[in-house]
Each structure stands twice: as C-alpha cells, then as structure tokens.
Amino acid sequence: HSDELWIQSFISSFVDAGGPRLRFETFWEHYMLAWLLQGLAAVDLPRQLWLTQSPYMTPDGWQKIPSYKDPRVFRLPTYNNGMVAILRNFVYYWKCRDLPSFWQRWKAANMDGHKLRPRS
C-alpha cells in the first residue's frame, strides 16, 4: 500500500537528514493509532453534516447519492466537502486496514492485564 511506502520513504529521509533511526514497526503502530484517534472525531461528522441543513445531508438525501464522486457532494461548502472526505478515508481504513482487529491486538499487547493508575 502507498502509505507503507510513504512511511518507509519518510523514515529514510528523516535518518538521511540526521534524525535518529526510527523502526518502521513502531512508526506504523503509531500511524494506525492515529487513525483510531481520528475515528473518535469522525463518528460525529454525520451529525455535523446534518446540522448544515443541506438537502443532501439527510438520510433520504444520501440515499440518492450513489457515490462520493457525485457532483452534489463537491458542490457542498468546503467545510462539508472536507467532512465527507474525512469520513470516506476513515471508512476505507476501517475496512481495508481492519482497524477493529488492529485495536484488539494492540489493546491485548499494551493494556489488557495492566492496571491503569488513577491520576493524582
């Protein structure tokens, strides 16, 4: 996938420019965790889109749009268009990178069985 190549290229350039050595696996793990964090914000985007009161931002309106490439999506104000792009990208990662399985593996390796200390 292109994001893996992008990360490998970034690491090489970073090290070549004098930065410390980065492990791809660690960088990738943080990259995937960042996608999960983005998901926390993305789950509220449909509500925000609905609040714009565009005729296409209702459940019935969306049913009439067969593709994210539909011109009605790109005639939305820039803010709404960006939210549609964020949702589309997040759904892609959710499915193609199987974010739920990644989270379960990461959680089992890093959190399960560990007692989190309350903040003092």
Side-chain angles (χ1 to χ4, degrees), residues 15-27:
V15 171
D16 291 347
R21 181 95 182 112
L22 301 172
R23 289 184 57 243
F24 174 81
E25 295 77 15
T26 302
F27 198 105

Side-chain angles (χ1 to χ4, degrees), residues 35-104:
W35 274 102
L36 289 168
L37 286 172
Q38 181 174 339
L40 295 174
V43 296
D44 188 52
L45 290 178
R47 182 189 66 84
Q48 292 179 46
L49 286 164
W50 177 78
L51 290 173
T52 66
Q53 310 240 333
S54 167
Y56 305 116
M57 297 296 113
T58 64
D60 290 339
W62 272 115
Q63 290 177 5
K64 297 174 184 145
I65 297 178
S67 166
Y68 74 91
K69 294 179 181 180
D70 188 293
R72 292 171 288 186
V73 172
F74 292 98
R75 288 191 189 115
L76 294 170
T78 303
Y79 177 70
N80 294 357
N81 192 307
M83 286 192 286
V84 170
I86 290 168
L87 281 169
R88 180 180 56 89
N89 289 339
F90 183 71
V91 168
Y92 168 82
Y93 258 77
W94 183 266
K95 294 170 90 174
C96 294
R97 289 294 186 181
D98 194 10
L99 288 178
S101 292
F102 168 80
W103 170 247
Q104 290 300 322

